[in-house]
Amino acid sequence: MRLGDFTHGRDNNIQLLRLLAAAAVMLFHSYVFTGNMGDDPVFVATGTTDSSVIGVGCFFVLSGFLVTRSWLTRPALVAFAAARALRIYPALFVAVALSIGLAATATLLPWRAFVTSPVTIDFAWRNALAWEVRYVLPGAFVDNPYREAVNGSLWTLPVELRLYVAVAIAGMARLLARTNRCTVLLAALVALFALEPEWLPLEPQSAGVRNLALLFGLGALAYVARDRVPLSLAAFALAIAVFIVNPWGVGRGLWFTLTLAYGTLVLAYHPRIQWHAYNRAGDYSYGLYVYAFPVQQTIVAHVPGLAPIELFGVSFAVTLALAAISWHALERPALALKSKFGGRGADRLRTGEATP
């Protein structure tokens, strides 16, 4: 059984998996925002990673896989760029406005001084472009346990956009073609950047950013080589077991990355674990991801003393409602405009081509 046997159509768990990934990020932040970061259950279990690392990593694997599919399905630069922009920017604009609006309810500054502050203006336009991120707004959330950011989740979007550019360049250079030579060359590039990550033209240059780029690259490689990739729950379970019992930590970080990439695709496409009924719901994961951070910070500011699980429950309900409205009123109609640029419009709305 090969991955390529199941990548056609919408019978997959991508939409559900993306929602769970966004929820995992929210869970970790619930511990961070209440001053209990070390109690994150994944960190307690592993001692080396946390729920957010798994959730964001899952997003990037699926993004590499699906965005590569998008290019190969219709290798036209204008259509590709339009599809990416229509997926990223409408909800991002709302997320930036929401961040400023919620921060205004928890700032030490008068409202007019807050809105007209050069820091607020800089925050608005830079984050809206998603090419670089600003985290702080004047006087906002200064009494919260975590005071460093208003919407820290946005840090992944500049990385994502640069990787979209890389896919377009690789596509135009025909490195994504389904030939043995191209597959080997793409695999060599992924391996090269895994060994020499500082060669990646990404900012900021950090281990976290480089690992996300590697996960994206593994997702892209998996799509190009999909007819050669075995789809096995047993192999995924074995990979987890090897990670757990490796007592010396030899290659532990790289093995974790490979296991996460492979496991994400197995959980997304293996036919024995499909939940097709969920696909009738909207794709709320992107909204959940970009709206959750300021919502959680605002709840902590106005309702101090919540336990992490209490914050997660309340913030998840509020943010999911916002994400549902965003999908049906904004994101889905925006994606339907892809047909205006030569894309396939609403035909693939449920596949979640782009991820945060």
Side-chain angles (χ1 to χ4, degrees):
M1 184 163 53
R2 303 295 177 185
L3 178 60
D5 298 333
F6 303 97
T7 56
H8 305 287
R10 304 185 184 118
D11 291 337
N12 56 61
N13 285 335
I14 289 175
Q15 195 163 284
L16 174 61
L17 202 56
R18 282 160 45 90
L19 185 79
L20 294 175
V25 175
M26 288 189 68
L27 179 64
F28 175 69
H29 288 163
S30 297
Y31 286 91
V32 173
F33 296 153
T34 55
N36 299 282
M37 182 167 58
D39 295 332
D40 172 74
V42 174
F43 182 78
V44 170
T46 65
T48 57
T49 190
D50 56 59
S51 303
S52 180
V53 170
I54 293 175
V56 175
C58 176
F59 275 131
F60 272 76
V61 174
L62 291 174
S63 182
F65 189 87
L66 294 170
V67 171
T68 301
R69 182 181 73 177
S70 177
W71 174 269
L72 290 176
T73 301
R74 192 170 185 86
L77 184 58
V78 172
F80 178 81
R84 307 284 70 74
L86 289 168
R87 187 65 182 106
I88 291 292
Y89 283 106
L92 174 60
F93 294 157
V94 174
V96 172
L98 179 69
S99 298
I100 295 171
L102 291 178
T105 71
T107 180
L108 301 178
L109 273 66
W111 181 84
R112 184 179 296 277
F114 172 81
V115 172
T116 59
S117 167
V119 176
T120 302
I121 296 170
D122 187 65
F123 178 97
W125 77 263
R126 290 186 186 275
N127 286 336
L129 289 178
W131 201 245
E132 56 182 328
V133 178
R134 293 293 184 266
Y135 296 101
V136 177
L137 284 169
F141 305 127
V142 295
D143 294 325
N144 284 19
Y146 188 83
R147 297 175 293 176
E148 285 80 4
V150 173
N151 195 340
S153 294
L154 301 183
W155 78 271
T156 63
L157 296 185
V159 180
E160 183 94 2
L161 288 177
R162 286 166 170 80
L163 292 170
Y164 292 168
V165 173
V167 169
I169 293 172
M172 289 187 292
R174 300 191 61 80
L175 294 180
L176 304 179
R178 295 181 63 188
T179 66
N180 291 334
R181 183 175 62 182
C182 289
T183 301
V184 170
L185 181 57
L186 182 60
L189 286 173
V190 172
L192 175 64
F193 286 130
L195 295 172
E196 300 290 344
E198 65 276 5
W199 292 3
L200 281 170
L202 292 174
E203 294 293 339
Q205 276 285 352
S206 69
V209 169
R210 293 192 292 265
N211 195 58
L212 292 183
L214 177 56
L215 287 165
F216 186 98
L218 289 170
L221 177 61
Y223 186 77
V224 172
R226 61 194 178 278
D227 293 332
R228 300 178 178 88
V229 177
L231 202 61
S232 170
L233 290 169
F236 177 40
L238 179 61
I240 294 174
V242 170
F243 175 78
I244 292 172
V245 303
N246 180 0
W248 304 282
V250 177
R252 190 175 177 85
L254 180 58
W255 189 259
F256 171 80
T257 299
L258 294 172
T259 301
L260 179 58
Y262 182 69
T264 297
L265 296 173
V266 169
L267 295 175
Y269 286 106
H270 200 287
R272 295 176 64 180
I273 54 173
Q274 296 301 312
W275 186 19
H276 299 157
Y278 182 79
N279 288 334
R280 291 195 291 269
D283 186 1
Y284 306 147
S285 58
Y286 182 46
L288 199 66
Y289 181 80
V290 296
Y291 302 148
F293 201 110
V295 168
Q296 290 184 295
Q297 284 282 56
T298 303
I299 292 172
V300 171
H302 294 291
V303 191
L306 288 175
I309 295 303
E310 292 174 328
L311 175 60
F312 175 75
V314 173
S315 61
F316 184 83
V318 171
T319 312
L320 184 62
L322 291 173
I325 295 170
S326 176
W327 170 254
H328 293 291
L330 177 65
E331 296 169 59
R332 184 180 176 89
L335 285 170
L337 297 176
K338 289 192 295 183
S339 60
K340 304 293 185 182
F341 298 90
R344 295 174 64 184
D347 292 345
R348 296 182 306 188
L349 293 184
R350 294 184 180 275
T351 62
E353 286 180 354
T355 62

